[in-house]
Amino acid sequence: MDKGTVQDLTFYSEALQEELQLYIYVPANYSPLYKYNILIASDGKDYFQLGGITKLADELIDDYEIENLIIAFVPYKDIKDRRHKYIPSGVQHEAYLRFLAHELVPYLDSEYATYQMGMSRGVIGDSMAATASLMAALKYPSIFGKVILQSPYVDEDVLKAVENFKDPGSISIYHIVGKGEDQVVTMDKTIKDFLTPNRQLHELMIRKGFTTFYDEFDGNHTWKYWKPDLRRALIENFN
């Protein structure tokens, strides 16, 4: 099995007014003669290191289980940076969404042979990074057509954004949460119930008419469960 390459680059964001370190996975079969789907991962370093998603993508592309796929990883700098950018009340949240839609996507489209359509682009995240991914698709549905949510952080702002969304047919949602996520110890050491609001989110999406895949796994809020789920997530969204 041939391995794809991972390109490490520094990207200056006008929206955020800062430099970001990005990693771009390019599959072994890359050729400008073909077209490629895009997946953008917030919590990028975690998906790269803890999720092992590049090795999985190599395997799935090699076995023709998923279509051609380029993955862009956007790491966070620290816990404060993560909160500021990923959740709706964060001071840099809107700027982060603009960066994803209006800076990162155009860069990827200019550098690589991509389909340049909403349904050929996905966003993925775990916990707060899943929240950012969902909010990006709700704000820019013509740019991001696929959303992969692994145990998203869901608050009233998220539910309100979903409730007010006018075109649920424009995006597809892949959504998982653990049955043991009713008592999650967060990065700031508080205990939160993730399970109940995720169930509310799913019920709201069903009522609104979203195309959604939903599953509750036997486990908690950790990579022990998110990592093995990635195989199904990629196949469901990019087969």
Side-chain angles (χ1 to χ4, degrees):
M1 180 178 66
D2 293 330
K3 291 183 178 179
T5 58
V6 177
Q7 301 166 358
D8 184 342
L9 66 108
T10 302
F11 188 98
Y12 184 79
S13 167
E14 291 289 345
L16 291 163
Q17 292 289 296
E18 66 180 77
E19 274 192 350
L20 300 169
Q21 201 69 24
L22 305 178
Y23 304 96
I24 313 293
Y25 162 82
V26 181
N29 73 351
Y30 181 78
S31 165
L33 300 176
Y34 304 120
K35 296 290 189 184
Y36 291 77
N37 295 279
I38 289 174
L39 180 62
I40 297 175
S42 297
D43 271 6
K45 192 171 283 188
D46 295 346
Y47 275 92
F48 182 60
Q49 295 179 339
L50 303 178
I53 196 172
T54 59
K55 183 179 178 183
L56 175 62
D58 284 338
E59 177 192 331
L60 294 177
I61 291 170
D62 195 60
D63 291 342
Y64 299 99
E65 290 191 73
I66 63 171
E67 296 178 343
N68 292 335
L69 181 66
I70 291 168
I71 307 174
F73 301 92
V74 186
Y76 60 90
K77 294 174 180 173
D78 52 38
I79 296 172
K80 186 187 292 185
D81 185 61
R82 192 170 183 256
R83 288 188 67 88
H84 285 342
K85 290 173 180 169
Y86 288 0
I87 61 174
S89 58
V91 294
Q92 289 182 294
H93 179 70
E94 291 297 325
Y96 181 71
L97 300 188
R98 285 199 306 277
F99 153 71
L100 293 178
H102 293 316
E103 294 179 342
L104 182 53
V105 165
Y107 172 79
L108 295 170
D109 284 347
S110 68
E111 290 293 313
Y112 305 99
T114 60
Y115 282 110
Q116 303 192 14
M117 298 181 298
M119 288 311 292
S120 69
R121 299 191 195 102
V123 278
I124 186 172
D126 64 292
S127 196
M128 287 184 185
T131 311
S133 298
L134 174 59
M135 297 300 288
L138 293 175
K139 189 170 182 66
Y140 303 106
S142 64
I143 297 176
F144 304 114
K146 299 177 189 293
V147 188
I148 300 174
L149 306 175
Q150 294 187 300
S151 306
Y153 167 82
V154 179
D155 60 13
E156 288 304 316
D157 291 329
V158 174
L159 294 173
K160 184 178 178 183
V162 173
E163 180 68 61
N164 292 336
F165 188 62
K166 303 298 185 197
D167 188 15
S170 63
I171 58 177
S172 69
I173 309 288
Y174 177 99
H175 181 192
I176 64 160
V177 67
K179 294 173 184 173
E181 294 194 56
D182 52 341
Q183 289 191 313
V184 174
V185 180
T186 63
M187 280 184 162
D188 59 4
K189 305 305 179 190
T190 58
I191 296 176
K192 284 190 165 59
D193 175 5
F194 272 62
L195 181 57
T196 302
N198 267 273
R199 286 173 171 169
Q200 291 174 329
L201 175 62
H202 174 60
E203 289 167 6
L204 177 58
M205 285 181 170
I206 293 296
R207 181 164 59 79
K208 291 280 292 183
F210 283 84
T211 299
T212 183
F213 173 96
Y214 179 75
D215 190 33
E216 294 183 4
F217 59 86
D218 292 315
N220 56 16
H221 196 75
T222 62
W223 276 101
K224 177 181 178 182
Y225 302 99
W226 297 328
K227 181 178 180 177
D229 177 70
L230 286 174
R231 176 179 296 272
R232 180 178 65 181
L234 291 184
I235 292 172
E236 285 282 335
N237 283 277
F238 295 104
N239 66 354

